[in-house]
Amino acid sequence: MPTIRKLLIANRGEIAARVIRTARAMDIGTVAVFSPADADAPYVQAADEAVPLPGNVPADSYLNAPALIAAAQRAGADAVHPGYGFLSENAAFARACADAGLIFVGPPPQAIEAMGSKIAAKELMAAAGVPVLPSVAVPGGAARAALPPSARSGDRGDPGGRPPGLEESAESAAVLAAARRIGFPLLVKAAFGGGGRGMRVVAREEDLAAALAAARREAEAAFGDGTVFLERYLDAPRHIEVQIFGDAHGTLVHLFERECSIQRRYQKIIEEAPSPAVPETLRQELGEAAVAAGKAIGYTGAGTVEFVLDSAQRFYFLEVNTRLQVEHPVTELVTGLDLVALQLQVAEGQPLPAEVRLATLNGHAIEARLYAEDVAAGFLPATGTLRAFEIPPLPGIRVDAGVAAGSAVGPHYDAMLAKVIAHGPTRDAARRRLARCLAETRLHGVNSNRDLLVGILREEEFQNGQFDTGYLTRHDPEQLARSWRDPAAPRRHALAAALAGQAARRAEARVLRIVPSGWRNVPSQDQHVTFDHDGDQLDVHYRFAGATLSATVNGEPVTGLAIRTATPDLVIADIDGVRRAFTVRQSGATWDVDSYLGSTQLTELPRFPDPQTRAAPGSLLAPMPGTVVRLEVAPGTQVAAGTPIVVLEAMKMEHSVCAPHDGVVTDIEVTGGQQVDVGTVLAVLDILAAGK
């Protein structure tokens, strides 16, 4: 049997760090690969060796199979672990590794090919007796016929109107007829890849052309293949998946199910094992169906069979992910197994050990995915540099992170920062541990979904396990994110920042112990500082008079005020009659304050702001860095509120920037293919010209 001595990880971020951790424990040398954007990433530093890749664009880096194989050969690796995403489910890459004499840590290429196309996979599963949803493949030319001129090759930047209807060609008419047979609403899905990319819900016939065009572009960008298919859409089912594992000696088992129904944009954000909706009898049925699916393709290694579960507890096959899943840690925690170690052992030709064949469930595990994104802006990906990234090491908590304090979060790749996983004897114990850990996390420098995750974990419907994939359509994400935070937090945090700033200006305050109600021997003085918090202004006025301190925030007096300790980094004070500790960090004009109330980012405003820094009225600004994919309108077009104006691509997904109100587009400031930063003026919308 072959022995793996040095392993190249053909991936990045937290999964690369995760694989490196297990490989080192098994005395296997590790080789990281990195694009220029990832040169200083933590996983690169964790590896024994690292090889650079030629560019930041995925096609030049982590989707560049020849470059990855060359890197393995240059470093003397004898095996390649593909992680998840990128080339992890690419049969051609698996074959190329074998042709280069490298062990591919994954299933054989024929198994990847069998499941690589979701279209072929559904046909194979139906033949194997696994329940499937009605679906139909989109002929290659039909989707292209549905594309607007601006989306066709070589013409992506041209402005245009609405996409033409599907009935404009014979092929398109066939697609429309197939869609009608399936019924609306339906799903357009990428045939290759996953993670919610290349997926669109279509509720009306007239929206099908645009959905096909967008799904194909997104799938092409993320997976290198724009093939799509149509599938019946179940309204708010549960998303259940089953972990399977096979070896080369004929053993194939399942390791129970995972619940993955909490999703946004068809991407999972909270997963757990086992599912609160699956009784033992259904668990057995799901496991048997998953094993049957694996045997139908001769599966070896780690894989996942995904199902949807309707309200009557009928389940239907979705796909087989022929790789390790993002959410594999919850299975590891409830079974006590290391799935990466098992992958490496199976790749070496070893049989699955008895603890895998006889695995049992122990307790409950819940995973939350921390993303750099702006929840209030519709989950737009966020960029920036992490000023702080501290997840408290509470009991029962595991952290798989791809970043650290100082890491730059750019627009090139997936926006996930880390996975935080809690394990406990019961679901409620795991849920409570995870909520508390996330609430105490200090994450400064980029917008994140941290507050939303805490809000979900503490919400009653989730607590009771009564949820489905429609959870975040029934619950307002922004409201969930605010639900656990004290509404007075920004006011109190602004005062704490002002006091920390006062301490920073006094050298003796760095070691000074504060007496009740104030600093010793501080002369009488009035102080004023103004902060911005999410567009709201917070004016803090405070005055020391000997040992007495008084303060107002936006003119409202702060009652029961007494300082116990104040340094540039820590303020302990009685505010409104309650003693609280506030940790404070300043970076230029930015102040980050954390307490039991939550986290608040404040921007200190100058006394006399520069009037030239404002964009012209009516300017439509880029909400994130990205590339201009398409211009949807031309100057002079009258538009209604919500009309897409410019489409940006960031982190492998498309994002439409829409008109905030009715008006006339007076100017387009960007062109197709242009790179833009946050705040770049994309277009100018004249509200006064509406209706002329």
Side-chain angles (χ1 to χ4, degrees):
M1 290 189 297
T3 299
I4 297 175
R5 294 183 174 85
K6 185 182 285 189
L7 178 70
L8 180 134
I9 300 91
N11 218 294
R12 63 177 299 278
E14 61 84 19
I15 187 55
R18 162 73 187 92
V19 174
I20 289 168
R21 187 168 66 245
T22 286
R24 294 184 68 187
M26 297 175 66
D27 193 28
I28 296 173
T30 57
V31 182
V33 288
F34 61 93
S35 67
D38 284 335
D40 298 320
Y43 80 91
V44 178
Q45 301 171 29
D48 297 315
E49 299 171 345
V51 179
L53 295 172
N56 285 324
V57 177
D60 296 333
S61 53
Y62 305 103
L63 285 172
N64 188 339
L68 293 167
I69 291 172
Q73 293 172 329
R74 187 181 314 144
D78 47 31
V80 173
H81 193 301
Y84 53 71
F86 294 122
L87 294 174
S88 62
E89 296 179 279
N90 188 298
F93 179 59
R95 282 201 173 90
C97 288
D99 292 344
L102 299 166
I103 298 170
F104 180 78
V105 183
Q110 58 269 27
I112 299 176
E113 281 179 334
M115 294 294 103
S117 167
K118 294 181 177 66
I119 300 167
K122 288 168 71 71
E123 295 173 352
L124 185 59
M125 291 303 107
V130 180
V132 299
L133 288 167
S135 64
V136 63
V138 175
R144 179 167 176 77
L147 295 177
S150 60
R152 293 177 186 159
S153 177
D155 207 20
R156 297 181 69 181
D158 293 344
R162 290 185 176 274
L166 281 167
E167 60 280 357
E168 291 184 3
S169 74
E171 284 183 311
S172 296
V175 174
L176 182 59
R180 286 170 176 165
R181 287 196 302 273
I182 292 173
F184 290 88
L186 56 77
L187 273 175
V188 178
K189 298 177 69 174
F192 301 89
R197 295 181 179 87
M199 185 181 296
R200 295 290 189 278
V201 175
V202 184
R204 307 176 305 167
E205 288 185 7
E206 54 265 39
D207 297 331
L208 182 57
L212 280 168
R216 287 178 63 88
R217 285 192 304 271
E218 207 166 84
E220 179 71 35
F223 314 118
D225 192 307
T227 306
V228 297
F229 66 101
L230 311 180
E231 182 179 78
R232 177 177 293 172
Y233 177 69
L234 292 183
D235 185 26
R238 296 186 82 120
H239 188 140
I240 308 293
E241 63 186 28
V242 179
Q243 177 73 58
I244 61 172
F245 225 109
D247 62 23
H249 302 272
T251 300
L252 181 67
V253 300
H254 75 85
L255 296 174
F256 313 107
E257 84 284 352
R258 296 185 287 252
E259 171 74 62
C260 306
S261 298
I262 303 296
Q263 303 176 3
R264 58 98 176 96
R265 289 188 166 187
Y266 311 107
Q267 287 185 307
K268 309 159 190 173
I269 57 173
I270 293 179
E271 304 103 332
E272 56 185 300
S275 167
V278 175
E280 189 57 42
T281 53
L282 181 58
R283 178 168 297 121
Q284 184 175 346
E285 293 174 12
L286 283 163
E288 290 172 354
V291 169
K295 287 182 176 179
I297 57 174
Y299 200 83
T300 62
T304 302
V305 186
E306 302 204 2
F307 300 95
V308 286
L309 182 69
D310 67 16
S311 58
Q313 292 207 314
R314 295 183 297 254
F315 61 88
Y316 302 92
F317 172 84
L318 277 181
E319 59 184 326
V320 174
N321 290 306
T322 54
R323 53 171 166 81
L324 199 66
Q325 288 281 86
V326 178
E327 56 273 18
H328 76 274
V330 294
T331 296
E332 292 185 322
L333 289 174
V334 297
T335 62
L337 301 171
D338 184 329
L339 299 189
V340 173
L342 292 171
Q343 283 187 298
L344 295 171
Q345 291 165 10
V346 167
E348 290 182 329
Q350 300 180 38
L352 288 173
E355 57 263 31
V356 177
R357 300 193 303 271
L358 304 175
T360 58
L361 287 169
N362 174 29
H364 202 98
I366 306 179
E367 172 182 292
R369 302 190 193 186
L370 270 175
Y371 280 98
E373 61 187 15
D374 189 337
V375 172
F379 302 103
L380 288 178
T383 60
T385 299
L386 288 168
R387 297 188 295 273
F389 188 74
E390 300 171 10
I391 300 174
L394 300 181
I397 294 295
R398 164 177 162 176
V399 178
D400 287 8
V403 296
S407 292
V409 181
H412 307 290
Y413 311 113
D414 188 84
M416 189 168 67
L417 303 172
K419 303 178 306 197
V420 185
I421 314 101
H423 181 237
T426 65
R427 181 177 187 270
D428 196 57
R431 180 191 63 79
R432 289 172 182 265
R433 287 177 178 177
L434 185 55
R436 181 66 179 204
C437 178
L438 290 170
E440 292 187 7
T441 292
R442 296 175 185 171
L443 198 168
H444 306 153
V446 297
N447 287 327
S448 81
N449 66 338
R450 188 278 301 264
D451 287 358
L452 171 62
L453 295 171
V454 177
I456 293 171
L457 290 165
R458 291 176 173 172
E459 190 273 325
E460 183 177 3
E461 186 177 325
F462 183 85
Q463 288 184 43
N464 295 333
Q466 302 299 315
F467 55 86
D468 50 51
T469 57
Y471 180 88
L472 285 179
T473 60
R474 293 191 304 276
H475 297 274
D476 178 10
E478 193 172 359
Q479 178 58 40
L480 281 171
R482 292 195 303 263
S483 64
W484 66 278
R485 292 197 50 174
D486 188 325
R491 169 179 173 270
R492 292 164 180 158
H493 286 176
L495 177 57
L499 296 175
Q502 176 69 267
R505 290 189 289 273
R506 297 176 172 277
E508 70 273 17
R510 296 183 183 275
V511 295
L512 181 65
R513 187 73 178 170
I514 308 301
V515 300
S517 301
W519 277 281
R520 280 194 181 93
N521 303 320
V522 176
S524 176
Q525 54 185 305
D526 291 300
Q527 299 289 339
H528 173 214
V529 61
T530 301
F531 299 102
D532 173 82
H533 171 59
D534 289 343
D536 294 328
Q537 191 164 298
L538 296 165
D539 288 302
V540 181
H541 290 262
Y542 59 99
R543 174 183 176 83
F544 291 102
T548 302
L549 170 65
S550 60
T552 64
V553 180
N554 286 352
E556 181 182 350
V558 179
T559 61
L561 178 60
I563 301 175
R564 305 300 170 179
T565 300
T567 74
D569 306 311
L570 175 67
V571 173
I572 300 175
D574 298 346
I575 298 178
D576 298 326
V578 177
R579 185 168 302 174
R580 297 182 175 92
F582 304 87
T583 58
V584 183
R585 299 190 183 190
Q586 181 188 11
S587 177
T590 301
W591 296 78
D592 296 295
V593 185
D594 295 275
S595 73
Y596 180 73
L597 304 172
S599 302
T600 301
Q601 179 179 304
L602 303 164
T603 302
E604 187 172 348
L605 299 178
R607 291 289 184 90
F608 306 103
D610 182 359
Q612 301 302 316
T613 59
R614 287 189 167 189
S619 296
L620 201 61
L621 307 181
M624 72 199 122
T627 303
V628 176
V629 174
R630 195 166 65 262
L631 308 177
E632 297 283 21
V633 300
T637 304
Q638 184 168 324
V639 296
T643 301
I645 305 297
V646 177
V647 178
L648 301 179
E649 183 181 283
M651 296 181 180
K652 301 188 287 185
M653 296 191 75
E654 290 189 0
H655 308 273
S656 294
V657 181
C658 302
H661 49 68
D662 297 348
V664 171
V665 177
T666 59
D667 197 11
I668 299 290
E669 299 283 348
V670 292
T671 59
Q674 180 179 336
Q675 297 285 326
V676 297
D677 291 322
V678 173
T680 298
V681 177
L682 305 175
V684 179
L685 184 66
D686 185 357
I687 190 172
L688 299 177
K692 290 183 179 179

